[in-house]
Amino acid sequence: HSLCRSICNLKLIDEGHGQNNRLERRLQMSRKMESYKNILLVNPAIDKEKKYGKLANMLLTPSVPLSIVFLGSFLEHHGYQVRLFDEQIEFLTANRVQEIINEFNPGVIGFTCTTPGMARAHEIAADIKQIDPGIKIVMGNIHPTVLPEETLHDANVDLVVRSEGELSLLEYLLALENHGNLSKIKGISYKFNGGYQHTESRMYEKDLDVFPPINWKLLTDTQGNYSIEWILTSRGCPYKCVFCSA
């Protein structure tokens, strides 16, 4: 009888551990789902001297990173918590990445990438994945749009958003939250079965009223550092001139 009681007790302990492990997994999944509501958008630094020459640092002053301001305003309008980080103003060291992850708990970190900033974007992505491999890394803008497979060749990059990013990124976030099917999202590229999956291209949005007004408060921490601002008279371009990176 004492042997039976011991075996029963061991079974109860094992079952208790199993229930605790399942509960912990559910809690971790719940926390991860919550983190997908927190989005960090990064404008990586470019080596201005290498690209433009030795006078670049004197002649080229920080300008408002409109791409992530537009994107952040759109996501915020749809209920997401958004933070911007602009390396024109502050360098994103590994320690700073750790601080932001601890404080803000972003589930997705997106990069706006022109060719001069790609190397730096990949460096930051490596730091992020070293700290938290579960964070999704998304890259968009001109370079990833033109070269999605080259961009995804980096093991740290989870997704490329091609062309206009607002609607595609929003649908990706909703898919993460609801375990949706990525293949149904237009305008994205991702790794699949050892290769790359490119979904149908997304047409340019003709109804500009779907985009909310810019929330300049997203730049509150850096606003006084910009000496150049932009006026846009159009959005995007329908043409594909061979000499133009847009």
Side-chain angles (χ1 to χ4, degrees):
H1 289 299
S2 61
L3 179 60
C4 288
R5 282 196 298 271
S6 297
I7 293 173
C8 289
N9 288 336
L10 286 173
K11 286 182 66 178
L12 288 171
I13 291 171
D14 288 339
E15 290 175 0
H17 282 312
Q19 289 175 352
N20 288 337
N21 289 337
R22 286 192 294 273
L23 178 60
E24 180 61 29
R25 284 195 295 271
R26 283 198 295 269
L27 288 172
Q28 289 176 352
M29 184 62 68
S30 176
R31 285 194 292 268
K32 181 53 67 178
M33 291 299 107
E34 290 176 4
S35 74
Y36 290 145
K37 301 295 288 186
N38 298 340
I39 314 300
L40 176 66
L41 300 175
V42 180
N43 182 35
I46 66 171
D47 189 334
K48 291 186 288 187
E49 185 172 321
K50 183 177 180 180
K51 181 173 173 59
Y52 299 111
K54 292 185 177 180
L55 294 177
N57 288 323
M58 295 172 55
L59 299 176
L60 296 178
T61 54
S63 59
V64 174
L66 281 179
S67 55
I68 57 174
V69 178
F70 272 108
L71 194 55
S73 299
F74 181 80
L75 295 178
E76 192 175 63
H77 178 73
H78 286 275
Y80 292 86
Q81 297 294 317
V82 179
R83 288 195 185 180
L84 308 184
F85 197 100
D86 186 3
E87 280 206 310
Q88 296 179 101
I89 308 302
E90 179 187 354
F91 203 66
L92 190 54
T93 64
N95 287 338
R96 191 74 175 94
V97 170
Q98 180 74 74
E99 290 175 6
I100 293 172
I101 290 174
N102 291 344
E103 176 193 352
F104 185 51
N105 188 32
V108 175
I109 298 180
F111 293 82
T112 178
C113 301
T114 57
T115 300
M118 284 303 300
R120 179 60 189 146
H122 287 298
E123 288 176 1
I124 301 171
D127 288 338
I128 293 166
K129 288 291 191 178
Q130 188 74 28
I131 295 167
D132 186 347
I135 292 175
K136 302 296 184 184
I137 301 295
V138 178
M139 293 190 179
N141 209 328
I142 296 169
H143 188 103
T145 294
V146 176
L147 296 169
E149 294 188 5
E150 177 190 273
T151 305
L152 288 165
H153 186 69
D154 180 356
N156 298 309
V157 180
D158 297 291
L159 188 88
V160 161
V161 174
R162 308 189 314 271
S163 194
E164 290 186 343
E166 286 94 340
L167 294 171
S168 297
L169 183 54
L170 176 61
E171 291 178 15
Y172 173 65
L173 296 174
L174 292 172
L176 289 178
E177 295 171 52
N178 300 294
H179 306 288
N181 186 348
L182 297 186
S183 67
K184 295 181 179 180
I185 303 172
K186 293 180 180 180
I188 64 172
S189 300
Y190 54 94
K191 302 178 182 80
F192 184 74
N193 283 346
Y196 303 104
Q197 181 80 18
H198 307 287
T199 65
E200 177 185 349
S201 295
R202 184 180 294 276
M203 299 297 292
Y204 289 113
E205 179 56 55
K206 294 181 180 179
D207 181 10
L208 298 186
D209 288 336
V210 305
F211 302 113
I214 296 297
N215 179 14
W216 294 110
K217 291 182 180 179
L218 288 169
L219 291 171
T220 297
D221 294 337
T222 58
Q223 209 160 24
N225 294 284
Y226 297 112
S227 55
I228 299 177
E229 296 183 4
W230 304 97
I231 296 176
L232 296 185
T233 58
S234 64
R235 179 185 169 94
C237 178
Y239 304 106
K240 296 184 178 180
C241 303
V242 295
F243 57 82
C244 178
S245 62

